[in-house]
Amino acid sequence: MRLTKKQEAASGRLLIDGAENRIFWSDNGRVAKFIMGRLSAPSGDDPETIARAFIADNRELFDLAAEVAERLEVSSIERDSQGHAHVCLAQFIRDVPVHEGSVQVHINREGVVTAYKDNRLAEAEVDFQPRFSEVNAVHAAMADIGEEQGEKQQSRLCLYRHTDKKVHLAWQVEIVVQHEHGARYYFIDAHDGAILYRFSESRAIMARKTYTAKNQQTLPGTLVIQDEQTSTDAVVQAAHDNAREVYDYYRRTFDRDSYDNQGSPLVATVHFGQSYNNAYWNSYRKQMVYGDGDGRQWLPLAYALDIVGHEFTHAVTSCTARFVYAEQSGALDEAFADFFGVMIANDGEIVDWQMGEGVYTPYRSGDALRDLSDPARFDLPDHMDSFMHLRPDELPDAEKNDLGWLHYNCGIPCKAAYLTVAGGTHHGITVEGIGRDKAEQIYFLGLTEYMRSSTLSRWTFEQARFAALNACRQLYGDQGSEYAAIKNAWAAVGVGEPAARFAVITREVNPALTIPDNRPQGISSAIQIEEQGILRELTVVVMINHSYIHDLRVRLVSPGGEEAVLHDRSGGEEDDIIEEYRLDNCPELVKFVGDTVQGEWQLLVADHARLDQGILAGWGLTMAVEKLAQQSLARELRPELPIPDNSPQGVVSAIPVAEAGTILHVDVTVDISHAWVGDLQLILTDPAGREMVLHDRSGASRRDLKKTYSSRTDEVLRPLIGAEQQGEWRLQLIDLAGEDTGILHGWKMEILYS
């Protein structure tokens, strides 16, 4: 990343103004993507004026290309329950809106800018004259939909950032498909007509209006009741009552007046379609839709308060974060809806983390649609290790890949939300839960303000994590248990780094070592871990090219000498080992959990039969490590002991250590005068009786031995890592030849321990 001189000067001024101010840059250094701290002086001006003044005062941070004619238009200004203002602006270049070109300015009650998020384009090297017409773009979208009846709602030019990071002039086309009752969005290249991206907004709400579709697929249908009226139709009444419950929750908990915070009526239609197994929020018509279910897979969905809360939350997200309903963004939309659906359905402490269990598969006991506490229970991932990606050339598709596997991948942020509330240890990282009250406020503020967008946006898991951290910083600060819980919860599912107590260590090597044929001694490759800590989770990736893997035995050896067999002459006639070994699929690895990680890890590969050969192409380790609270001690003696000449008994000096603790690192320093150090042998004995020869008659006629031996550099001391330090340490100095004498002036031990 290279900054211009103007950017360096501007960032320097901002950082000097506040010791806690921090700037996070885009990969190419053109944009200050996020800034946090106390970024401006207090002001009594209105939020828009403060926001525009901050952007103008710091314009040199944003390396806008000279030819870019930019305009920023306010899309929303919100005040939260703490009195903080959140200003969202949309970028236009040459009057063309930039898709996902949002700027957020967050202002506290004193009128001080505390956070700034920038997703603008710094340059737009694109021909602004469309060569593919709007009419043709609509036809291309209609053709992609196929035989289903579609109706264009609107279309407009925009600047669209594609997955290759190239900027395209594109037609954004919105089409409503008759039997979906929700908009499909297309981004069509305005130069060559290529479909750049597509997704659907149909998702699988205190004035209340509840309609019936009379089992037809018409919206909104016939009005049955409104406000405080009642109905003898149990499904109508359930939808109406649950809408009130959900409205009251958002009003009571967050002081939010309806889904848009503008008091809009909650409109719902029940009895939609024949045996319709779905419920969804229709952003275009701004209403909820409930099917009756088929009686086998689903009962009427309006009966379930958590599902009503889930769909109402989709309405909230459609007015705030504006998730693109595909890939990670769509998975986040589902996860936020699940989280608040669970919060709404539980009073006080959360006792039920399931979604839809009251109406899903009524004849199967204990079943549910999802379980936030245990996504794997219903075959969903709970860590990024199991995240399902689209192929590089694949577009989201509702039929072929669930719009980028959004309902599958939502298990990952769902698990992070559960851990934030309830805590627990997951993938080796321990989370101290903060309870529902604080978690609700953090997630709501993060969603509605720190993820607010002026356009539909492809939010990522990493950005959702960052939004939660910023919301936490506003509400509870960034030094407490709440901030650590957010970091650790997301790190536990493989997103971001954990708080200071934990670390994720990743190392890999590519030795390209030939594996000798039919040689049990085999080969070894080493990875050195310098960090200290206790292993809580381990993944080993092995890449071996071999023509007959049944010949192979693969073992992992820890710094302490423990051994785990990863592959033991299995696999028959298969070629190659390209495998990821984890605690869940390789129980042998469990023996390393709880050990210290520092030191040399070895992978041993041996071929045990003739004819076939191969290569160890590469291997790697990913470790979740619990950092240890470290303390240090130093003990020194100056005994001035004469060293008997040519005496096997020698002299002994002892240092007692009263403190109990596990050794992380040890240094032993000696100060010895002697005329011929080649006569000397120096032995350290630890409290367990283990002898370590530090010096063994090397050095010939060199005089004196003044040296520090370290567990970091001297292999002989490595076994002490992880050992108990309490007890008596003995240093024995022996002269094993005649004529020369000397003195042990002193020695010192320095131990880092937990």
Side-chain angles (χ1 to χ4, degrees):
M1 183 189 78
R2 297 187 62 181
L3 304 182
T4 66
K5 290 184 178 180
K6 288 184 177 180
Q7 284 179 310
E8 288 178 351
S11 61
R13 288 193 299 271
L14 198 61
L15 295 175
I16 289 173
D17 288 344
E20 301 300 318
N21 293 354
R22 296 178 65 191
I23 302 175
F24 300 85
W25 295 92
S26 61
D27 293 340
N28 62 7
R30 298 295 296 271
V31 181
K33 300 290 289 184
F34 187 79
I35 312 174
M36 58 187 285
R38 286 184 66 87
L39 307 177
S40 68
S43 172
D45 291 335
D46 63 89
E48 180 179 352
T49 300
I50 295 172
R52 290 192 180 277
F54 177 81
I55 294 170
D57 291 345
N58 295 278
R59 61 187 177 276
E60 291 177 344
L61 280 176
F62 186 63
D63 188 23
L64 191 68
E67 69 277 7
V68 174
E70 180 196 53
R71 170 169 60 88
L72 293 177
E73 185 177 291
V74 172
S75 58
S76 67
I77 299 175
E78 296 281 333
R79 281 196 181 273
D80 61 35
S81 59
Q82 289 193 317
H84 291 231
H86 307 272
V87 182
C88 189
L89 303 99
Q91 184 188 30
F92 293 75
I93 296 178
R94 292 173 58 175
D95 291 328
V96 176
V98 177
H99 180 63
E100 300 177 309
S102 287
V103 178
Q104 298 173 7
V105 185
H106 304 275
I107 305 162
N108 70 12
R109 286 171 296 194
E110 304 167 47
V112 175
V113 175
T114 58
Y116 172 82
K117 184 178 184 298
D118 198 328
N119 200 40
R120 288 182 288 173
L121 282 176
E123 55 189 355
E125 296 180 358
V126 63
D127 181 359
F128 278 76
Q129 185 62 41
R131 295 191 293 273
F132 193 76
S133 71
E134 179 179 2
V135 171
N136 286 336
V138 173
H139 286 327
M142 292 289 193
D144 185 73
I145 291 172
E147 297 180 358
E148 298 173 83
Q149 191 67 35
E151 177 185 351
K152 187 198 86 169
Q153 295 303 312
Q154 61 180 346
S155 56
R156 66 173 186 174
L157 277 176
C158 70
L159 292 174
Y160 175 82
R161 279 170 278 202
H162 198 32
T163 51
D164 59 7
K165 298 187 179 180
K166 180 181 177 182
V167 178
H168 296 254
L169 184 70
W171 291 106
Q172 179 179 323
V173 181
E174 181 182 347
I175 295 175
V176 171
V177 177
Q178 182 177 0
H179 295 297
E180 291 182 0
H181 299 282
R184 291 196 193 184
Y185 287 84
Y186 283 83
F187 294 87
I188 310 290
D189 194 298
H191 293 142
D192 61 16
I195 298 176
L196 300 172
Y197 201 73
R198 67 182 177 215
F199 66 95
S200 170
E201 262 212 326
S202 291
R203 290 166 173 83
I205 114 195
M206 152 102 201
R208 292 171 293 157
K209 295 182 179 181
T210 303
Y211 295 75
T212 177
K214 298 180 179 178
N215 298 119
Q216 303 298 309
Q217 293 201 1
T218 57
L219 292 177
T222 303
L223 180 65
V224 181
I225 54 175
Q226 60 183 345
D227 299 332
E228 301 306 317
Q229 294 175 340
T230 59
S231 172
T232 57
D233 185 321
V235 177
V236 169
Q237 193 63 52
H240 208 62
D241 291 345
N242 284 337
R244 171 181 281 283
E245 289 281 336
V246 172
Y247 175 91
D248 287 347
Y249 167 82
Y250 271 93
R251 187 68 165 181
R252 178 180 65 252
T253 311
F254 311 116
D255 196 30
R256 188 172 186 85
D257 187 4
S258 193
Y259 61 88
D260 58 359
N261 206 25
Q262 302 295 318
S264 290
L266 307 186
V267 178
T269 297
V270 300
H271 302 310
F272 180 82
Q274 293 281 347
S275 301
Y276 189 65
N277 285 328
N278 203 357
Y280 64 92
W281 165 256
N282 187 310
S283 293
Y284 175 68
R285 296 184 181 274
K286 300 189 184 307
Q287 70 156 101
M288 270 300 312
V289 181
Y290 302 101
D292 284 339
D294 58 9
R296 296 183 304 277
Q297 185 176 5
W298 289 97
L299 295 176
L301 284 89
Y303 284 151
L305 178 58
D306 55 358
I307 288 178
V308 177
H310 173 106
E311 301 303 340
F312 181 94
T313 304
H314 280 315
V316 175
T317 68
S318 72
C319 300
T320 53
R322 302 188 65 187
F323 293 108
V324 164
Y325 198 61
E327 301 184 81
Q328 285 196 30
S329 181
L332 286 168
D333 202 353
E334 286 299 308
F336 275 105
D338 276 0
F339 175 74
F340 286 109
V342 166
M343 296 298 108
I344 290 165
N346 284 265
D347 291 326
E349 183 181 356
I350 308 300
V351 296
D352 181 6
W353 287 94
Q354 299 176 112
M355 280 297 302
E357 72 279 9
V359 293
Y360 184 62
T361 57
Y363 300 109
R364 187 183 303 163
S365 177
D367 203 9
L369 186 63
R370 288 187 284 273
D371 185 343
L372 279 69
S373 68
D374 184 14
R377 178 183 167 204
F378 298 113
D379 299 320
L380 301 183
D382 58 13
H383 193 276
M384 289 299 291
D385 284 348
S386 303
F387 181 87
M388 191 173 292
H389 297 266
L390 290 178
R391 296 188 305 272
D393 59 345
E394 188 179 12
L395 290 176
D397 187 287
E399 298 297 326
K400 296 178 181 178
N401 54 45
D402 184 29
L403 293 171
W405 312 113
L406 68 89
H407 287 97
Y408 176 79
N409 290 325
C410 75
I412 296 168
C414 279
K415 182 68 175 185
Y418 164 78
L419 290 169
T420 301
V421 176
T425 299
H426 187 59
H427 279 255
I429 295 176
T430 299
V431 184
E432 300 294 337
I434 59 176
R436 69 171 290 167
D437 293 343
K438 290 181 177 179
E440 281 173 317
Q441 297 299 326
I442 290 169
Y443 265 71
F444 178 78
L445 184 62
L447 168 68
T448 58
E449 302 304 346
Y450 287 95
M451 296 182 77
R452 181 175 291 275
S453 177
S454 60
T455 75
L456 292 165
S457 292
R458 290 167 293 180
W459 294 101
T460 66
F461 292 174
E462 181 64 43
Q463 289 171 325
R465 167 188 175 270
F466 209 46
L469 288 172
N470 282 308
C472 183
R473 184 169 66 94
Q474 176 183 321
L475 294 170
Y476 306 110
D478 58 6
Q479 300 300 314
S481 59
E482 299 86 0
Y483 200 80
I486 298 292
K487 293 191 76 172
N488 287 336
W490 281 97
V493 299
V495 180
E497 285 295 314
R501 182 182 167 192
F502 291 92
V504 177
I505 300 170
T506 301
R507 297 285 188 277
E508 62 179 48
V509 292
N510 299 287
L513 292 174
T514 299
I515 304 167
D517 187 35
N518 195 23
R519 186 178 299 175
Q521 296 87 345
I523 58 170
S524 67
S525 175
I527 288 178
Q528 187 71 34
I529 302 296
E530 301 296 337
E531 293 89 338
Q532 298 163 344
I534 300 299
L535 184 70
R536 297 304 181 200
E537 182 85 9
L538 176 62
T539 299
V540 186
V541 176
V542 177
M543 293 169 285
I544 296 174
N545 300 322
H546 198 277
S547 55
Y548 193 81
I549 65 173
H550 187 75
D551 291 355
L552 297 180
R553 195 161 191 256
V554 182
R555 295 168 290 158
L556 180 69
V557 181
S558 73
E562 281 194 287
E563 180 180 298
V565 178
L566 307 181
H567 177 90
D568 196 8
R569 305 196 65 183
S570 59
E573 298 180 1
E574 293 181 13
D575 295 343
D576 304 335
I577 297 176
I578 301 175
E579 191 66 61
E580 186 177 272
Y581 300 95
R582 305 181 305 273
L583 299 183
D584 59 352
N585 65 13
C586 183
E588 281 271 302
L589 293 176
V590 174
K591 64 179 64 175
F592 298 135
V593 174
D595 292 347
T596 56
V597 299
Q598 187 183 50
E600 184 177 87
W601 293 75
Q602 286 191 318
L603 190 75
L604 309 180
V605 183
D607 185 314
H608 290 264
R610 292 185 300 110
L611 299 180
D612 297 281
Q613 294 182 329
I615 293 174
L616 172 59
W619 69 288
L621 300 171
T622 298
M623 301 170 164
V625 175
E626 183 176 0
K627 297 180 181 179
L628 301 174
Q630 298 179 359
Q631 293 180 278
S632 62
L633 64 80
R635 298 288 186 271
E636 184 173 9
L637 289 179
R638 303 293 296 180
E640 299 293 341
L641 290 174
I643 305 167
D645 188 33
N646 195 20
S647 168
Q649 289 76 33
V651 294
V652 176
S653 177
I655 290 179
V657 174
E659 297 90 336
T662 300
I663 296 172
L664 302 175
H665 169 66
V666 61
D667 287 336
V668 180
T669 302
V670 297
D671 180 5
I672 300 168
S673 296
H674 200 276
W676 190 287
V677 299
D679 291 354
L680 299 180
Q681 188 177 61
L682 184 64
I683 302 171
L684 177 71
T685 304
D686 73 356
R690 180 167 33 193
E691 292 186 350
M692 287 147 281
V693 179
L694 305 181
H695 178 87
D696 195 12
R697 305 194 66 181
S698 60
S701 62
R702 186 163 52 84
R703 297 179 62 87
D704 302 337
L705 190 60
K706 301 178 187 294
K707 182 178 179 180
T708 296
Y709 301 90
S710 173
S711 61
R712 291 194 177 96
T713 56
D714 294 284
E715 190 70 32
V716 67
L717 292 178
R718 290 274 171 84
L720 291 176
I721 297 173
E724 173 58 51
Q725 68 176 5
Q726 188 180 49
E728 184 178 79
W729 294 79
R730 301 171 71 244
L731 186 72
Q732 184 179 19
L733 184 55
I734 305 170
D735 184 320
L736 293 171
E739 298 186 10
D740 299 286
T741 59
I743 296 174
L744 170 60
H745 297 292
W747 68 294
K748 180 169 69 172
M749 291 190 63
E750 296 172 283
I751 303 176
L752 185 68
Y753 68 98
S754 66

